[in-house]
């Protein structure tokens, strides 16, 4: 059995029902809107976010998932989908998960409006049901994701990222959404309990490990759907590179910065940068840090009694580290 199917097993019923509710939560009287939202739903990914919501909710409440849990999962998926649609416009990207993106098929104006529509649907789903605590969790996540993206852009111009700034960028950009899923799952069944903050921290740790794993793919020879060296070409400062930059001799550091700033489109030069990072311990350092986040996340989980939901969350933590793409 595939690992994702294994993780999903204890919440298979909830995930099937969630899919129906999610499509309903997008519905509109405008035929064009419905055509596009159906297209989006039919090209879904692994659905990790709703899986986190349901697994956490059921773990902290001895197997209970209530209507509020479904709404929480729908809100996070609506708002996340909105940000992806907008991202594709910003990045001028024509593909998403191997399919044409919304902007590729319906042009930018419609894609931006679809993103706005999904965002408002998510907000209203919470407001109409008085789920203000859940709305606060997701709103904080959206604010932090925007700040993280802008901080990364600001720092990429100067290439002056310290390790601490890097962690702050990935915490906001990537980890905050997974943290929101986990705290939302806990808050949906146990509002205002200690579980909400504990599970937020758990999600944040997984998110940090997840992003470092993504950074490592930039140095991988495997076919992962993301070309090697793409982060260097886009002047993104990743952990292996930051470590090597901070520990390199002056002349090597100068060469590295010059390569990233002025020769990042030169394939031969990018390959040389990758080789330098590998030779100088960048990957080993990043793997050590990633495994530390993984261990901390598992230690947090171990404060809960054993259950199928806890087991699936453990599998999820390990999958984040071991995944091949």
């Amino acid at each position: 059995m595939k690992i994702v199917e294994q993780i999903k097993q204890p919440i298979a019923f909830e995930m099937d029902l969630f899919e129906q509710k999610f499509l309903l939560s997008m519905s509109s009287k405008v035929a064009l809107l419905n055509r596009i939202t159906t297209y989006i739903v039919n090209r879904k990914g692994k659905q990790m976010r709703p899986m986190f919501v349901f697994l956490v909710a059921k773990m902290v409440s001895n197997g209970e998932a209530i209507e509020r849990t479904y709404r929480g999962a729908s809100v996070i998926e609506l708002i996340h989908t909105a940000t992806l649609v907008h991202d594709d416009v910003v990045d001028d990207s024509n593909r998403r998960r191997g399919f044409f993106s919304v902007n590729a098929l319906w042009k930018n104006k419609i894609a931006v409006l679809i993103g706005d529509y999904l965002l408002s649907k998510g907000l209203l789903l919470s407001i109409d049901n008085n789920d203000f605590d859940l709305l606060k969790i997701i709103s904080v996540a959206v604010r932090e994701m925007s700040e993280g993206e802008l901080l990364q852009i600001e720092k990429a111009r100067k290439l002056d990222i310290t390790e601490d700034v890097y962690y702050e960028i990935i915490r906001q950009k990537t980890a905050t959404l997974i943290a929101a899923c986990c705290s939302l799952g806990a808050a949906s069944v146990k509002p205002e309990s200690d579980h909400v903050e504990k599970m937020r921290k758990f999600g944040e740790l997984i998110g940090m490990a997840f992003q470092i794993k993504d950074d490592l793919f930039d140095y991988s020879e495997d076919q992962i759907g993301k070309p090697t060296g793409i982060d260097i070409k886009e002047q993104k400062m990743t952990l292996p590179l930051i470590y090597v930059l901070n520990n390199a001799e002056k002349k090597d550091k100068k060469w590295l910065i010059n390569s990233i700033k002025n020769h990042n489109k030169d394939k031969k030069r990018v390959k040389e940068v990758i080789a330098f990072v590998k030779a100088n311990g960048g990957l080993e350092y990043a793997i050590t840090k990633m495994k530390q986040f993984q261990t901390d996340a598992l230690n947090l989980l171990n404060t809960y009694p054993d259950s199928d939901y806890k087991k699936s969350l453990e599998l999820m933590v390990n999958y984040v580290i071991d995944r091949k793409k």
Side-chain angles (χ1 to χ4, degrees):
M1 190 190 295
K2 275 188 174 169
I3 184 80
V4 177
E5 290 308 311
Q6 222 176 316
I7 293 166
K8 209 185 268 193
Q9 227 176 355
I11 50 161
F13 170 78
E14 284 81 7
M15 288 301 291
D16 286 343
L17 189 52
F18 163 74
E19 283 199 25
Q20 298 163 34
K21 288 176 183 284
F22 182 53
L23 188 54
L24 273 175
S25 70
M26 286 186 174
S27 67
S28 154
K29 291 189 177 78
V30 180
L32 174 63
L33 252 173
N34 288 334
R35 198 154 69 241
I36 298 171
T37 52
T38 304
Y39 177 82
I40 291 169
V41 169
N42 288 340
R43 279 146 196 81
K44 62 182 182 294
K46 295 185 188 77
Q47 292 191 302
M48 290 299 193
R49 281 156 298 278
M51 281 160 66
F52 273 122
V53 175
F54 288 114
L55 286 169
V56 167
K58 296 192 85 166
M59 180 183 75
V60 304
S61 67
N62 299 323
E64 195 181 13
I66 55 178
E67 200 54 45
R68 219 166 97 90
T69 315
Y70 287 96
R71 288 199 299 270
S74 291
V75 167
I76 211 129
E77 203 65 344
L78 280 165
I79 290 177
H80 175 65
T81 307
T83 60
L84 293 184
V85 172
H86 282 164
D87 279 354
D88 287 339
V89 174
V90 171
D91 298 338
D92 203 12
S93 173
N94 291 324
R95 311 289 285 186
R96 167 70 61 186
R97 298 189 185 116
F99 297 99
F100 283 116
S101 58
V102 173
N103 51 302
L105 293 173
W106 285 281
K107 301 289 179 277
N108 284 353
K109 185 175 182 179
I110 288 176
V112 170
L113 291 168
I114 287 286
D116 292 347
Y117 173 78
L118 296 174
L119 198 62
S120 67
K121 274 292 206 181
L123 299 176
L124 285 167
L125 185 60
S126 294
I127 292 164
D128 290 346
N129 292 283
N130 293 329
D131 296 332
F132 297 112
D133 55 336
L134 304 187
L135 184 58
K136 184 174 182 182
I137 290 168
I138 189 65
S139 299
V140 168
V142 173
R143 183 197 72 204
E144 293 210 318
M145 283 156 67
S146 309
E147 285 179 350
E149 285 285 358
L150 288 163
L151 179 60
Q152 185 172 47
I153 291 166
E154 179 192 321
K155 291 295 178 185
R157 287 178 179 160
K158 294 183 191 165
L159 299 186
D160 62 345
I161 294 190
T162 61
E163 205 171 308
D164 286 345
V165 170
Y166 165 82
Y167 289 133
E168 185 55 19
I169 289 171
I170 69 166
R171 187 192 67 73
Q172 291 186 316
K173 237 187 79 166
T174 305
T176 194
L177 190 65
I178 300 173
C181 294
C182 296
S183 61
L184 214 118
S188 73
V189 287
K190 299 273 183 190
E192 294 177 34
S193 67
D194 293 344
H195 301 296
V196 181
E197 174 53 25
K198 204 168 164 183
M199 285 293 99
R200 187 203 66 76
K201 187 68 195 161
F202 168 71
E204 187 173 282
L205 291 163
I206 298 174
M208 301 293 276
F210 182 92
Q211 186 55 55
I212 296 172
K213 178 71 174 183
D214 252 21
D215 288 357
L216 289 163
F217 282 142
D218 206 45
Y219 297 87
S220 162
E221 302 298 326
D222 303 330
Q223 289 298 308
I224 53 154
K226 170 184 166 180
T228 308
I230 195 85
D231 289 335
I232 295 166
K233 290 183 186 108
E234 291 177 0
Q235 296 188 343
K236 277 184 189 159
M237 299 292 281
T238 58
L239 189 56
L241 185 58
I242 290 164
Y243 171 77
V244 169
L245 260 176
N246 290 341
N247 291 280
E249 302 272 322
K250 208 170 180 180
K251 65 172 176 42
D252 291 331
K253 190 172 180 174
K254 203 173 168 185
W255 173 80
L256 275 170
I257 289 174
N258 182 32
S259 302
I260 297 155
K261 267 195 168 165
N262 305 314
H263 305 281
N264 57 346
K265 301 286 187 279
D266 176 343
K267 281 185 181 171
K268 183 172 173 284
R269 192 73 169 254
V270 169
K271 272 190 173 155
E272 286 169 4
V273 171
I274 288 171
F276 187 87
V277 170
K278 283 180 174 176
N280 287 274
L283 301 196
E284 288 86 348
Y285 182 79
I287 289 166
T288 304
K289 289 291 180 185
M290 175 180 74
K291 289 195 166 161
Q292 187 57 59
F293 285 120
Q294 176 195 26
T295 303
D296 292 348
L298 289 171
N299 287 344
L300 249 181
L301 259 192
N302 284 334
T303 61
Y304 285 91
D306 287 341
S307 66
D308 287 344
Y309 315 112
K310 177 183 166 181
K311 206 179 293 170
S312 276
L313 284 166
E314 283 170 354
L315 279 174
M316 191 89 105
V317 175
N318 295 327
Y319 169 71
V320 159
I321 304 294
D322 301 332
R323 69 199 162 98
K324 299 286 181 271
K325 61 178 180 180

